[in-house]
């Protein structure tokens, strides 16, 4: 889904991307792929920040912290 959204940005509503990033990051974190989860959450955080979406930033930053904790950082 994310590959399609990246390839065809005009075909996907911009407010859907952070949700897709969040859901994918949660899956990767549960699978133990913390680095991939970290990358997705970092991207979600940047999008939320650019949009001025404070709650989205907080959610992404919390998930970033969880991934970093799992990585031992």
């Amino acid at each position: 889904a994310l590959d399609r959204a990246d390839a065809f940005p005009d075909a996907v509503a911009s407010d859907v991307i952070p949700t897709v990033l969040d859901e994918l990051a949660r899956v990767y974190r549960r699978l133990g792929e913390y680095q991939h989860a970290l990358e997705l959450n970092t991207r979600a955080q940047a999008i939320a920040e650019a949009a001025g979406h404070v709650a989205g930033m907080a959610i992404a930053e919390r998930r970033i912290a969880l991934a970093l904790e799992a990585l031992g950082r």
Side-chain angles (χ1 to χ4, degrees):
L2 187 57
D3 291 341
R4 296 273 178 168
D6 287 341
F8 305 102
D10 294 334
V12 179
S14 62
D15 61 331
V16 173
I17 301 301
T19 302
V20 171
L21 289 168
D22 183 56
E23 292 298 326
L24 286 172
R26 290 174 64 197
V27 169
Y28 282 116
R29 187 170 50 85
R30 288 182 181 153
L31 291 172
E33 296 186 28
Y34 304 113
Q35 187 61 44
H36 201 164
L38 179 61
E39 293 166 7
L40 293 172
N41 283 315
T42 300
R43 183 173 167 190
Q45 191 274 339
I47 291 171
E49 185 175 7
H53 190 263
V54 177
M57 288 171 34
I59 291 167
E61 288 170 3
R62 178 180 179 274
R63 297 198 195 288
I64 289 169
L66 291 171
L68 289 171
E69 178 184 37
L71 288 168
R73 295 189 210 167

